[in-house]
C-alpha cells in the first residue's frame, strides 16, 4: 500500500466521564490524526465501546511501542484493548464442502482487490472444489472426515492453520460442526454463514424448515462460532422475499445470493476490525 | 361504486389436465370477461389453486344463481370453491388494547378510500382508545377481561360480532389470547399482527427476545389465528434493519411502522379475496 | 420529562488534529457526561462534522451560558455551531392539501408519544382536512391560494408561523410550490416529502412518470426545501418493489406507505438534531 | 435433462373474451399438462399478455409441428407468439471490459448448474479478463476498440456471434456503447447492467453523480439495449442503502454486489422466457 499505514484501536470498558477525551488525548499528544471515531454506550450495562482509527503518517510512536504505551490508559479505565494495523493483513482460511458460491464470491472479491486479506489456504472435507481452488492458485487441503477420524483430522487442521499463521477462519458453507478445540483456538475468529434468519430455523436443512412453515421471507445470518450450535454472536443478516410459488429447491437457489453477500459483508467488517463482541452480541462500527 | 361489479372465484382441487380450460369455459359461456386469472400448482401435493376475477357487466347469470350453476364443475373436479362479489364489502371488527398505531393506520386508510371494507365496530379490552374510535365515529365496545370473566366476555363478543354480521376480525395489537370458541366461529378470518419475524420469537415480548439475541433485523408477521399460538398460516411479513445502537425501546418504537404496514397489507389481500389457506400455509395471489 | 435534560451540539469546521479532544475537554471540564458522540470527516473537503449529546445532570454551566462559553473553542477552530436542548421541543407546523395519510400518521405518532414536538397548527390550501385537524384538537388555518393572492397569502402564513414561534415546517403532501420568502425565513427547516426516488422523476405527477418509464421500484424522498424545486438536500429515501401489474393508481396507493414513513423518519432525525446540512447534502447522525 | 421437456408460449394480443379458454383448449386437445400459466391485462391498452408452460410428456404433437399448428389460433386473435423449449438452452455471449465481478458471478452460477444456458464465448474490448475466461475453459475473444476501428470490430463481433449461434448477449460491465447494427441483429436480446437506479443518473459515472447529489440509496438496473442510451425496457432493479460516510469509491465497491445480483436475476428470467417486451416496458412473469 502506498497510502500511509493506519492504526485501529478497539476499546471496551466501564462507562465513565472523560473516556473519549482521555483516549483522543493520547493520539493528539503523539501527533496522530484521527480518521474515524465511533463510540457506543450501552446504558443498561454501563458499558463503553469505541473504535478509533488514526493515521500513522506523523505519529511520533513506533508501531511496536504503541501497545505498551497504551497500558497506563488501559489500566486507568479498566479497558480491554485490541490494536491492529491496516498494513498487517489478516490471514484467512476458507473452509468449504461442495457448494461453490461463497468460495467463488470471496475469491473474486479478493482478486478484484475488494477484500484486504491474504488467503493462504482452502480447507475442505470433500475434494469437489479442488479445481476451483487451483484455478485461483490457492493451496487446497482435503481432510475427509468420518465419525472415527474427526478428532484427529481437526487436530491436523488446527496444526496446519497455526503453521500458516491463520488468524481468521471462514466457514464458507462448510458442512461440519466445529469442535470445541478449534473454537478455543480461534475465539471470535471463526465466521460462519447460516442459511436462515437466525434464531429461526436453527440446525439442519433450514430452507426445508422455512418451506414447511410457509414463511414469506427467507434470510441468511453470519455469526461467530461458539460452543452452542448457531447461537454465536450475530455479525450480519439479510433477507429476501419469497412466495408460495417457490419450492424448497427455489429457496436453496435463491438463498445462495443471500449467503454469499451476507458472509462477504460480515468478513469485510471483521477484517477491518469493525466488530467487537460482548455478551454474545456484536457491536459493528459501520 | 359506479364501475360494474365483479365476481371472484377461489378454487382449490387436485391437479389434473384441463382445469383452466374447463373453468374459463364456464365464464366464457356466460359472457363474462376475465379481469384477472392466477393459478398455482403445488407439484409435491398435486394440488391446484386458482383465483379468477371477472366482470359481471355482460354476464348472463344472476349473482345469486352463480354458485349453484358452478356445482357440476365443482363436483367434476372435486373442487373447494369460494365465491365473492366486489360489491359485498367485508364487515371488519377491529380488536385493540392500548396502542394506537395500527388502529389509526387502518382508520386513516379507510377514510381515504384505500380499504374497501365496512368497519361497524371496535372491540377493546381497555378503555384507552375510546376517544380514537369516537373521533372516527365508530362504535366502541369495552370488554374488560379478567381470568374469571374471560369465557363469558368472549361469548358476549362472539354474539356481538354475529349480530353485527362481522365476517373478519382484525387483531390490531390486541393483547389477549383468542379462545377456541372464537377461532371456531371465524375460521381463517381472524387476522393477527405479531411483532416479530415468525417463527423467531414466538410468544410474549418478542422485541425483548430480539434484543437479547442481538439480531440485526427485526420483523413483523401477519397471520391467521389458529389454536396454536403464533403458529397460524402466515399471510405477510416484512423486516427492518436495526443495530447495536437500538435499545429495546427503540425496537418497540421502530417496529410499530412494520406492524401497521404489514397488517394493512395482509388485510388488503384478505378483503380482496386474494388469500387461500391450505395445510397451515397461504397462497397469496398478488 | 422526568429524565434529566440533555444538550446537543452540532459542529461543522475544517478538519485538523485535536478537534475531538478539544471539544470533549470542554464537556469534561464542566462535568458533562457524554451520551452520544458521532463524527464524520469528509476527506475530499477536509471538513469535520460532529454531533455530541451530553447529560446536563451534573453539568456546572447554566444552559443559557453554554453558548457564550463555547465561543473561544468555536473561534479557535473556525467552527459553525448549533446548540439544542432536549427539553426545548421544536414547534412544528404541518402544511397539507387534501391527502390525509401523512397528516394522520404524524398526528398518531404525536399522540402516542413517538414524536417529541409541539404541533401548534396545521396550515392548508384547501379546507378538506379541517375535520381531521379538529379531531386531534389542533388549530387549522385555511389559506386558499390562487395565482393572484399567492404572494400575500404566503406573507400571511409567514406572519402566522412567526407569531406561533414555529421553527420547523413540514410539507405533509402540500401541493404548492414554496416561495423564496418562506424558504429564506426557514432555511433548512422546511421538510418536504416528494413522491419519487429523487433525482428520478422531479416535478409533477412522479407516479405517472414512473409508470410510463416502466420502473420496477418506486420511491419517496424527504428533503429540505431550497430555491431549486426538488433539488434540496436529501434527508431520507426509501423504496418499494412494484411490477407490470401495478397501474398508476396502484402506485399512488402503494406509494402512500412510503411517503408517510419516509417523512416521519426524516422528521424524527430533524427534531432530534441529528441532521447537518452542507453543500446541498446532509450528514445524518443516526 | 432426465425430466421431460417443456414448451413455453409467450402471447401478446388485443384483449377479448375467451382468450385463455381458447389457448388452454389447444393444449388440452393435444394432452398437454399445464405447469404454469400467467396472464396480464393492461386495461389502458386493451392488451393481453400470457405465458404458458406445459409438459411435452404426453403431448400428441411433435415439437417441430407445434408452431404451425398454432397459426390458426394466432390469426384468429391477432396474436404475436413466441415458442420455446426448455431443452433448447440459450447460447449466451458475455461481453466484458476489465471488471470481474459480474463475469465471475455468472460463471460460478453456470458451473453450479444454476444458470440453464450455454456460454460459447466471452468477448472483451480489453485483454484483462482473459485469465478469468481461461480458468473456466471458455473461449475469449479480444476486440480492441478505437474510434477508428469501432465499426469494423463490431461487424466482426456480429459475424462471430452469428457463427457461434449466439441468441443472447449479456453486457456484463462492458464499457462500450453498442452500435445500431448490433442492436438490430439482437432485438431485445442484449441485456445490459447499468450501475444506477434508472432513470436517475443516466450515462457515465453514475456513482459519481449519485455521490454529488447526496442520495441515501444507490441502485442498479438491468435493461434491454435499444438505440436510446440507458432508455431501454427495464427488466430488473434493486437498491442498497448508503450514507454520508460512503465515498464515491465505497459506492463503486458496494454497488458491485447490486450489479451482479441484478444482472443475474434479469438473465435468469430472460433465459427462462419469462420476459415480454412491449412499448419499451417489460412484463416479467415471475
Amino acid at each position: 500500500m502506498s497510502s500511509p499505514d493506519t492504526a485501529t484501536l478497539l476499546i471496551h470498558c466501564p462507562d465513565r466521564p472523560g473516556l473519549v477525551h482521555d483516549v483522543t488525548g493520547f493520539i493528539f499528544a503523539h501527533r496522530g490524526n484521527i480518521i474515524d471515531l465511533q463510540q457506543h454506550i450501552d446504558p443498561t450495562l454501563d458499558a463503553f465501546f469505541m473504535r478509533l482509527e488514526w493515521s500513522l503518517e506523523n505519529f511520533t510512536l513506533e508501531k511496536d511501542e504503541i501497545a505498551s504505551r497504551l497500558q497506563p490508559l488501559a489500566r486507568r479505565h479498566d479497558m480491554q484493548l485490541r490494536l491492529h494495523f491496516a498494513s498487517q493483513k489478516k490471514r484467512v482460511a476458507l473452509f468449504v464442502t461442495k457448494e461453490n458460491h461463497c468460495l467463488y464470491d470471496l475469491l473474486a472479491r479478493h482478486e478484484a482487490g475488494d477484500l484486504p486479506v491474504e488467503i493462504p489456504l482452502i480447507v475442505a472435507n470433500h475434494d469437489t472444489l479442488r479445481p476451483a481452488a487451483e484455478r485461483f492458485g490457492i493451496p487446497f487441503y482435503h481432510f475427509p472426515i468420518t465419525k472415527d477420524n474427526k478428532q484427529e483430522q481437526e487436530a491436523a487442521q488446527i496444526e496446519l492453520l497455526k503453521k500458516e499463521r491463520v488468524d481468521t477462519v471462514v466457514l464458507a458453507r462448510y458442512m461440519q460442526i466445529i469442535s470445541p478445540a478449534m473454537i478455543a483456538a480461534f475465539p471470535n475468529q471463526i465466521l460462519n454463514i447460516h442459511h436462515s434468519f437466525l434464531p429461526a430455523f436453527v440446525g439442519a436443512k433450514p430452507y426445508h424448515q422455512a418451506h414447511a412453515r410457509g414463511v414469506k421471507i427467507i434470510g441468511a445470518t453470519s455469526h461467530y462460532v461458539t460452543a452452542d450450535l448457531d447461537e454465536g454472536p450475530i455479525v450480519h443478516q439479510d433477507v429476501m422475499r419469497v412466495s408460495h410459488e417457490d419450492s424448497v429447491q427455489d429457496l436453496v437457489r435463491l438463498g445462495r445470493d443471500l449467503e454469499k453477500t451476507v458472509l462477504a459483508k460480515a468478513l469485510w467488517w471483521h477484517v477491518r476490525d469493525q466488530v467487537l463482541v460482548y455478551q454474545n452480541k456484536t457491536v459493528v462500527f459501520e
Side-chain angles (χ1 to χ4, degrees), chain A residues 104-116:
Chain A
Y104 274 134
D105 186 70
L106 293 174
L107 294 179
R109 288 172 198 272
H110 186 242
E111 183 173 302
D114 278 351
L115 194 55

Side-chain angles (χ1 to χ4, degrees), chain A residues 4-55:
Chain A
D5 202 2
T6 69
T8 297
L9 193 58
L10 286 164
I11 296 174
H12 175 191
C13 67
D15 189 29
R16 66 182 63 164
L19 286 170
V20 177
H21 184 62
D22 215 359
V23 177
T24 55
F26 176 87
I27 308 299
F28 186 58
H30 301 97
R31 294 206 194 162
N33 198 13
I34 295 173
I35 292 168
D36 193 51
L37 182 157
Q38 292 181 70
Q39 56 103 54
H40 168 59
I41 293 164
D42 186 325
T44 60
L45 300 174
D46 260 329
F48 174 87
F49 307 88
M50 188 160 81
R51 182 186 188 272
L52 190 68
E53 185 176 358
W54 71 96
S55 169

